[in-house]
Amino acid sequence: MSRDAIIEAFLAKCEWTGAARDKLPGDASFRRYERLSLDGRRAMLMDAPPPKEDVRPFLRVARHLTKLGFSAPHVFEADEANGLLLLEDFGDDTFTRLLAKGADETKLYELAIDTLIGLHHVPIEKVLPLHTPPYDEAKLLEEARLLTDWFLPAIAGQPAVDIVTSYETAWREAFAALARQPYTLVLRDYHVDNLMRLPARSGISACGLLDFQDALVGPTAYDLVSLLEDARRDLAPGLAEAMMARYLDAFPKLDRQAFGAACAVLAAQRNAKIVGIFTRLSRRDNKHHYLRHVPRVWRLLEGDLRHPALGAVRAWFDAHVPPALRRAPDEVAA
């Protein structure tokens, strides 16, 4: 049966036969979304074709977040085997779109920070039953290697084995700063593209959450730096510092120095990973538009590397990716 036929059968089962279907712009994944309209009703169709995608993690996390009082889309119907979900439609007001229309940047970021505060106040005992994998050193290192797997070959040729080995050694040293940090449910793509303003709801429920299917259990600092060091946009001067202060005020017992080191290490790891991912999207998937963000990501990464906890990683970059190479690779057709 063709993919179109599978989708039509799913919609018939859900009593959405004949619905108007409006395809939404795609993202970096293989998932596709369509807005459905029928007799005054609206819903969102997620098409996540196996084996490239798996909807089960999304289902688990969405239901868990909703149970905790956060605004993840309600799941109306699910066909896990075929990778199809019928979801609540949150509308079009992503934070990104609202900011483009001139919305108050500070208020939107305050809502995003307050939502993180609420999530991070959830006892870890309520997170563990999700059986979500840990965001441990092995996973962090696997992601950091995206830079040596994709960016370095694109910009300077295939690196020698000893260069990759020394890269891993430097990161392992940096990850020591994550020891004894508080753990939580890490949504992993927590930034303005994946947050929505839900005006009919109040408090942190007004923050709609999207794109959390890759959630893991890991350090609380990760989603915070994902929000404040956005690969796709520059924040207003002083906003990141103000939002960091707002977050820290909610956790007065947190060791500020140790948490600052964790933030720097995780921000650097994330930015190194993103340089690799954006290069892969260009080289493998012919999605070259992501390359326009690479110079920003390099600026963020260079700022992160100034932290003492990243001394070994900084030394590696100085030796093997000097400033002249810290740029977007050239576009090459897949």
Side-chain angles (χ1 to χ4, degrees), residues 31 33 46 53-54 57-58 61 187 210-215:
R31 294 184 303 276
Y33 293 89
M46 179 197 288
E53 298 284 345
D54 182 356
F58 181 95
V61 179
L187 303 184
L210 306 175
D211 204 10
F212 43 71
Q213 61 280 339
D214 295 323

Side-chain angles (χ1 to χ4, degrees), residues 260-275:
C263 284
V265 169
L266 289 171
Q269 183 270 354
R270 178 176 172 80
N271 287 322
K273 171 180 71 173
I274 290 173
V275 169

Side-chain angles (χ1 to χ4, degrees), residues 146-159 275-276 278-280 282-284 291 325 327-332:
L146 288 168
L147 184 136
T148 50
D149 289 346
W150 287 94
F151 174 79
L152 213 53
I155 210 83
Q158 192 65 38
V275 169
F278 286 175
T279 304
R280 182 177 66 186
S282 173
R283 294 284 163 135
R284 187 190 69 185
L291 295 180
L325 296 183
R327 57 178 177 83
D330 296 329
E331 294 182 9
V332 175

Side-chain angles (χ1 to χ4, degrees), residues 241-259:
E241 293 78 7
M243 294 302 103
M244 179 65 77
R246 185 182 184 91
Y247 179 88
L248 291 173
D249 285 345
F251 299 95
K253 295 182 180 180
L254 197 62
D255 183 322
R256 300 297 197 264
Q257 184 173 357
F259 188 73

Side-chain angles (χ1 to χ4, degrees), residues 1-21:
M1 187 181 294
S2 70
R3 190 67 184 169
D4 287 341
I6 291 171
I7 292 173
E8 290 290 349
F10 175 69
L11 293 178
K13 178 184 175 183
C14 301
E15 299 183 352
W16 280 83
T17 298
R21 296 168 58 181

